[in-house]
Amino acid sequence: MTDTTLTSRLVEQIFGQPEALRNSATPLYIQLQSLIQEAISKGILQCNDALPAEREIASTMKVSRVTVKRAIDDLVNDGILTQRQGAGTFVNERVVHELNRLNSFSEVILAVDKHPDSRWIERGVGLATPDEIQKLRLQPGDEVVRMFRVRMADDKPVALEHATVPRKFLDNPFGITGSLYEALDEAGIRPVKAIQRLRAVAVDATYADYLEIPAGSPVIFLERHGLLEDDTPVEHTRSHFLGDTFDFVTVIREP
């Protein structure tokens, strides 16, 4: 079987028959985008797979190169596809974040062979606010350590992280150079369980600048209360993750 035949078959697997595009009032480039995303979700295209060349898609689907290029460019801008100079267009690798495991950001990123790093925005010590008192079960007048940073994977911003820890557990925020959980582990107070809430939100202009995405873009908001074995709260963390980079999964077993 020739390479041309294989490519044509892949185009057909992804996009179907050309006639189907004409049966919808939706703009052609949006239809192509939806079909590419559907092929990724179905596993027809997997992480690091190459997309057929723009000319092959245009020829097989009987659309213009301009239409195909617009569809692909938008998906590249959204982080779903990536283009490598001289090599083509590929499905971007996604980071799997297992919600049923209490991993730190650094551990999640290292698990996919990427380098975790941080760009600090703010960190310091202050009196606990009424909200922090309630969430961390503190007393009025108690102090907390607050940390706000951009989390990076291979030098690319992929998340924002606000972490608050009672000062009785962590005295110096400037001693944190990498993983918060690693620091808590060294102090013998790493959380062993957590309550986590997950939802989609639109990112505001300031946060969008930190993540280098357009204002209003959808991101995944994760709120976590980390607890010790006796249910003592150790941390309250609010994170905003790029939705096109992370897959949040959980394992459900029958009792």
Side-chain angles (χ1 to χ4, degrees), residues 119-189:
R119 185 167 70 235
W120 288 97
I121 300 171
E122 293 179 4
R123 49 181 159 171
V125 176
L127 290 175
T129 65
D131 183 61
E132 290 167 338
I133 289 172
Q134 185 268 324
K135 286 185 167 63
L136 293 169
R137 298 181 205 160
L138 301 175
Q139 297 297 319
D142 284 348
E143 291 185 316
V144 295
V145 168
R146 302 186 186 96
M147 294 158 283
F148 180 29
R149 53 183 168 170
V150 181
R151 304 311 308 266
M152 320 282 286
D154 287 350
D155 298 322
K156 176 190 174 184
V158 294
L160 293 175
E161 177 184 274
H162 287 86
T164 306
V165 177
R167 193 177 184 186
K168 61 185 177 183
F169 294 134
L170 184 69
D171 185 60
N172 179 18
F174 296 94
I176 304 296
T177 57
S179 168
L180 171 60
Y181 270 30
E182 184 177 310
L184 294 176
D185 195 19
E186 290 174 357
I189 50 169

Side-chain angles (χ1 to χ4, degrees), residues 36 40 51 71-72 75-77 79-83 89-92:
I36 292 171
I40 293 171
L51 207 66
I72 289 175
L75 293 177
V76 169
N77 291 334
I80 295 169
L81 302 176
T82 186
Q83 290 180 321
T89 303
F90 297 82
V91 178
N92 232 347

Side-chain angles (χ1 to χ4, degrees), residues 89-108:
T89 303
F90 297 82
V91 178
N92 232 347
E93 185 174 17
R94 297 176 68 84
V95 178
V96 175
H97 194 315
E98 297 184 47
L99 294 176
N100 53 305
R101 299 186 62 183
L102 196 52
N103 289 333
S104 69
F105 174 87
S106 296
E107 290 166 339
V108 170

Side-chain angles (χ1 to χ4, degrees), residues 5-249:
T5 302
L6 288 172
T7 301
S8 296
R9 286 193 174 182
L10 180 57
V11 172
E12 185 175 326
Q13 280 184 288
I14 298 169
F15 299 101
Q17 297 299 319
E19 295 74 19
L21 298 179
R22 274 71 186 176
N23 295 331
S24 171
T26 303
L28 291 173
Y29 78 96
I30 293 179
Q31 292 187 60
L32 295 178
Q33 288 174 3
S34 297
L35 290 167
I36 292 171
Q37 291 175 289
E38 186 178 333
I40 293 171
S41 67
K42 288 181 175 179
I44 296 170
L45 289 171
Q46 300 184 8
C47 290
N48 294 316
D49 279 355
L51 207 66
E54 291 179 8
R55 66 177 180 277
E56 296 289 347
I57 298 172
S59 174
T60 303
M61 299 308 295
K62 297 179 172 54
V63 297
S64 71
R65 285 280 297 274
V66 172
T67 297
V68 176
K69 186 177 189 312
R70 182 173 181 183
I72 289 175
D73 284 351
D74 283 355
L75 293 177
V76 169
N77 291 334
D78 289 342
I80 295 169
L81 302 176
T82 186
Q83 290 180 321
R84 302 172 191 168
Q85 187 66 35
T89 303
F90 297 82
V91 178
N92 232 347
E93 185 174 17
R94 297 176 68 84
V95 178
V96 175
H97 194 315
E98 297 184 47
L99 294 176
N100 53 305
R101 299 186 62 183
L102 196 52
N103 289 333
S104 69
F105 174 87
S106 296
E107 290 166 339
V108 170
I109 298 304
L110 286 169
V112 292
D113 296 323
K114 293 181 181 292
H115 174 67
D117 204 351
S118 299
R119 185 167 70 235
W120 288 97
I121 300 171
E122 293 179 4
R123 49 181 159 171
V125 176
L127 290 175
T129 65
D131 183 61
E132 290 167 338
I133 289 172
Q134 185 268 324
K135 286 185 167 63
L136 293 169
R137 298 181 205 160
L138 301 175
Q139 297 297 319
D142 284 348
E143 291 185 316
V144 295
V145 168
R146 302 186 186 96
M147 294 158 283
F148 180 29
R149 53 183 168 170
V150 181
R151 304 311 308 266
M152 320 282 286
D154 287 350
D155 298 322
K156 176 190 174 184
V158 294
L160 293 175
E161 177 184 274
H162 287 86
T164 306
V165 177
R167 193 177 184 186
K168 61 185 177 183
F169 294 134
L170 184 69
D171 185 60
N172 179 18
F174 296 94
I176 304 296
T177 57
S179 168
L180 171 60
Y181 270 30
E182 184 177 310
L184 294 176
D185 195 19
E186 290 174 357
I189 50 169
R190 176 174 175 141
V192 297
K193 51 186 173 180
I195 300 170
Q196 300 186 120
R197 294 180 175 86
L198 189 72
R199 66 178 184 271
V201 299
V203 70
D204 66 23
T206 300
Y207 282 13
D209 283 344
Y210 291 140
L211 291 171
E212 300 176 8
I213 58 176
S217 296
V219 296
I220 303 300
F221 176 74
L222 176 67
E223 182 178 20
R224 177 162 68 191
H225 295 80
L227 309 169
L228 299 180
E229 191 61 54
D230 64 359
D231 289 337
T232 299
V234 178
E235 57 135 358
H236 175 236
T237 299
R238 294 167 293 135
S239 301
H240 294 75
F241 293 91
L242 294 183
D244 56 24
T245 301
F246 288 85
D247 280 333
F248 292 87
V249 300

